[in-house]
Amino acid sequence: MDRLTSIGDVTWTREELKASLEEFARLYPARPIRDNTGGMKAPHMFSTWFALRHLKPSVVVESGVWHGQGTWLIEQACPQAEIVCIEIAPKWIQYRSARARYFDRDFATLDWSDLPKEETVLFFDDHQNAYERLKIVRWFGFRHAFFKE
């Protein structure tokens, strides 16, 4: 592929992104995990935080919690959202949210029929095949899915 390709429409501008950097810079030092090797660092955190704040989902499903930095970030970006966390190795979680429901099974094996598909954001940091995940996301009827690699 010789050019960047995106799927769907981006509903924010470069100016909105730039205007949010200072707010994120004030939030970032409060993160609970200082050494998040193997997990999200500042660039991923900013893009995730910004997108979640812009989309304002009522539910966020995080598949692949690792130490919990993403869960904390979701709480900051979406203080009113329901949070669902999936981590097949929960012994590694350092930060647990009192607001989240936790599962130790794969995303594809859970029943998502009760979630509002248009108002839910799926965040995959579980190192599974993204194409296969997208087929499952589509089958369930969700609209918003993010992948971190």
Side-chain angles (χ1 to χ4, degrees):
M1 179 183 295
D2 60 350
R3 63 183 173 81
L4 183 63
T5 303
S6 69
I7 300 171
D9 296 321
V10 177
T11 59
W12 52 80
T13 66
R14 179 178 173 87
E15 290 72 30
E16 288 174 303
L17 277 167
K18 287 173 32 179
S20 295
L21 281 170
E22 284 187 33
E23 183 179 355
F24 180 77
R26 288 189 299 274
L27 173 67
Y28 185 74
R31 69 196 184 283
I33 313 295
R34 292 293 177 219
D35 179 6
N36 202 34
T37 301
M40 285 200 294
K41 304 269 176 120
H44 290 120
M45 290 178 69
F46 172 70
S47 61
T48 301
W49 172 83
F50 180 84
L52 287 174
R53 284 177 39 111
H54 189 78
L55 292 169
K56 298 176 179 64
S58 61
V59 180
V60 180
V61 177
E62 177 187 22
S63 182
V65 174
W66 185 233
H67 291 315
Q69 188 94 289
T71 308
W72 173 84
L73 187 70
I74 293 165
E75 287 180 320
Q76 307 312 302
C78 305
Q80 305 303 317
E82 175 186 348
I83 303 170
V84 180
C85 295
I86 302 168
E87 177 54 59
I88 60 169
K91 67 181 181 179
W92 296 111
I93 300 174
Q94 296 174 22
Y95 176 84
R96 287 183 178 267
S97 170
R99 292 181 35 213
R101 290 186 293 149
Y102 286 85
F103 295 93
D104 61 359
R105 296 178 17 220
D106 186 76
F107 172 83
T109 68
L110 296 167
D111 178 6
W112 302 110
S113 60
D114 64 329
L115 294 186
K117 306 307 186 273
E118 295 285 322
E119 300 169 18
T120 298
V121 169
L122 307 174
F123 180 73
F124 293 100
D125 190 4
D126 56 11
H127 306 275
Q128 299 301 306
N129 182 310
Y131 178 69
E132 293 300 321
R133 284 286 193 231
L134 280 174
K135 290 193 304 189
I136 294 166
V137 165
R138 184 170 181 180
W139 185 84
F140 277 120
F142 290 106
R143 181 172 178 206
H144 302 288
F146 291 49
F147 291 84
K148 184 251 175 210
E149 284 300 321

